[in-house]
Structures are given as C-alpha cells and as structure tokens.
C-alpha cells in the first residue's frame, strides 16, 4: 500500500492553505464525507446507517456512477446530504493533462446540473488527493472549493483490519475534522465495521454532524 497520512500533517495544511482541510468551530461539528459513489452494493446501506444517527454527510460522487445509479443518487438528495464533484471517471490529476482533467470535471458537473434536485455547491475533491497546481488554479477560478481532509479512515486499504480503520478515526477526530470514508465495494468490508461504530462514538462524545457548503 502506498504511503498516506491518516491525520493530515499541519505543515501540508499550511503549504496548501487554499484547500479546505478542516472547518474549525467551537461547536464540536465534524464533517463526514464519502467518496466514489453512488454504489448500489454499499451506498444504500450507508444512508441507512446515517439515518439511524440523524447524521448528514457530504458525498463526492463520480459522474459515471451517478449516470448508472440515478435513483440512488436522488436518494442522497432526498435524505438531505450535500453533493460534491469527484470527476467523471475517478481521474488522477498528477497523471493527466490539465485540459483533459478540467474537461473531465466539467463532464461530471454537467451530470450534476442535469439533476434538478441536486444542490450542486461547487465542491470538488480530487481522486487520490492528487491535483496539479494549474488544475487547482483553474477549478478555483471557476468557483470550486477544493475539499481535502483532516482524517482519513483508510477504509480503502485492504491490508488493515476493520478495527484499525475505526481507530484511525476515533483517535484522530477533533472539532472541525473533515473525515473521509468511501462508499465503494473495495472499502465495504472495513466500512461496514467502522462506520456504525464511528457514528456511535461521535454521538456519544458530543460531536455534531454537518455538511460542507
């Protein structure tokens, strides 16, 4: 498994200060986010778990997955969650020509804009967290808020245990944390263990759930 920070280094947040890493507040608000859906095999279950705790989240959706699962996507909206752009095809910005990358993001935006109920708030998360400076500059000029994260559950990492996935969140969360999970088939074994327990932990410890605007 390639290197990643579970807790984003403060130096990185300072160097890349134009990105949203966390949302500081004095109300113990935290921001759950889910990448890569909607995915029939897992997203509906995620929505059910969130509902049990009256928790709202922000879903960074892949355009092709929206097209393939429109009814499920509409359920995200109906349940009151926020939606962000995660490119059309889960593109790695570091490996993409800038013009191609921007076009891919715009293609996803078109899918979002076609859904009348979708509160398209110009939120964007680069797949893998990888985006070139030029790509970022263009997207920000178009009004996008580029949302990274403070805490990575690492549910996608099939080399870690579900217990470790849970610990990654509970040991590192703080007021204002943007937390990443994935509503994907790959992440589902870790997610199915960690998400309900994370929600219970956060509720028990007085955290409030909010969406990213």
């Amino acid at each position: 498994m390639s290197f990643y920070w579970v807790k984003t280094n403060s130096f990185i947040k300072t160097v890349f200060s134009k990105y949203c890493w966390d949302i500081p507040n004095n109300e113990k608000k935290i921001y759950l986010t889910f990448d890569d859906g909607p995915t029939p095999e897992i997203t509906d279950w995620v929505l059910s778990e969130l509902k049990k705790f009256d928790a709202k989240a922000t879903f960074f959706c892949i355009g092709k997955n929206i097209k393939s699962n429109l009814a499920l996507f509409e359920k995200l909206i109906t349940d009151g969650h926020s939606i962000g752009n995660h490119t059309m095809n889960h593109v790695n910005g570091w490996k993409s020509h800038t013009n191609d990358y921007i076009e891919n993001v715009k293609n996803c935006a078109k899918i979002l804009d076609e859904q009348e109920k979708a509160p398209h708030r110009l939120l964007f998360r680069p797949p893998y967290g990888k985006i070139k400076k030029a790509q970022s500059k263009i997207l920000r000029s178009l009004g996008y808020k580029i949302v990274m994260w403070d805490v990575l559950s690492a549910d996608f990492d099939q080399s870690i245990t579900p217990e470790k996935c849970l610990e990654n969140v509970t040991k590192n969360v703080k007021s204002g944390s943007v937390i990443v999970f994935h509503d994907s088939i790959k992440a589902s074994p870790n997610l199915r263990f960690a998400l309900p327990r994370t929600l219970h932990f956060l509720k028990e410890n007085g955290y409030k759930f909010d969406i990213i605007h």
Side-chain angles (χ1 to χ4, degrees):
M1 187 67 211
S2 60
F3 172 80
Y4 54 83
W5 272 303
V6 167
K7 181 74 171 179
T8 302
N9 186 284
S10 58
F11 176 73
I12 294 295
K13 294 180 181 180
T14 301
V15 171
F16 297 98
S17 59
K18 292 179 180 177
Y19 301 161
C20 173
W21 298 95
D22 49 27
I23 305 174
N25 63 84
N26 298 316
E27 305 170 65
K28 293 195 78 171
K29 288 182 181 179
I30 57 90
Y31 302 83
L32 294 175
T33 67
F34 295 86
D35 290 1
D36 298 352
T39 310
E41 294 84 351
I42 190 68
T43 303
D44 204 40
W45 175 85
V46 168
L47 292 175
S48 176
E49 292 301 309
L50 292 173
K51 190 169 288 187
K52 289 176 185 177
F53 291 86
D54 193 27
K56 302 303 179 189
T58 302
F59 287 79
F60 289 90
C61 297
I62 296 173
K64 67 180 180 67
N65 287 348
I66 297 172
K67 284 188 72 174
S68 301
N69 305 287
L70 282 176
L72 185 54
F73 177 74
E74 289 176 2
K75 191 171 181 181
L76 295 177
I77 309 304
T78 302
D79 283 5
H81 302 292
S82 183
I83 303 297
N85 186 320
H86 201 45
T87 75
M88 190 69 184
N89 308 98
H90 205 261
V91 179
N92 184 329
W94 290 2
K95 297 180 179 180
S96 306
H97 188 280
T98 293
N99 289 342
D100 294 338
Y101 189 78
I102 299 303
E103 190 63 26
N104 199 279
V105 175
K106 287 181 176 179
N107 286 339
C108 181
K110 288 176 186 176
I111 300 298
L112 289 169
D113 289 337
E114 286 171 2
Q115 313 312 311
E116 294 181 5
K117 299 178 182 177
H120 186 192
R121 295 189 172 92
L122 291 178
L123 303 175
F124 178 74
R125 174 171 286 156
Y128 315 102
K130 296 178 178 179
I131 184 170
K132 294 176 183 175
K133 184 177 180 180
Q135 296 162 349
S136 165
K137 185 176 181 180
I138 292 170
L139 290 176
R140 285 184 288 109
S141 75
L142 294 172
Y144 279 95
K145 176 189 286 189
I146 298 178
V147 182
M148 295 298 201
W149 56 83
D150 177 49
V151 178
L152 191 65
S153 70
D155 51 357
F156 57 84
D157 187 347
Q158 296 173 317
S159 72
I160 69 169
T161 64
E163 290 81 5
K164 176 60 177 171
C165 178
L166 172 63
E167 183 181 289
N168 285 342
V169 179
T170 59
K171 297 292 186 184
N172 291 290
V173 66
K174 65 176 183 180
S175 180
S177 286
V178 174
I179 303 166
V180 180
F181 288 104
H182 293 77
D183 52 329
S184 67
I185 295 173
K186 180 180 179 181
S188 63
N190 283 335
L191 184 65
R192 286 183 182 276
F193 178 89
L195 181 59
R197 291 164 177 82
T198 295
L199 291 166
H200 179 78
F201 171 87
L202 293 171
K203 200 83 167 182
E204 285 290 299
N205 285 273
Y207 287 99
K208 301 173 184 177
F209 306 100
D210 203 358
I211 59 174
I212 301 174
H213 297 278

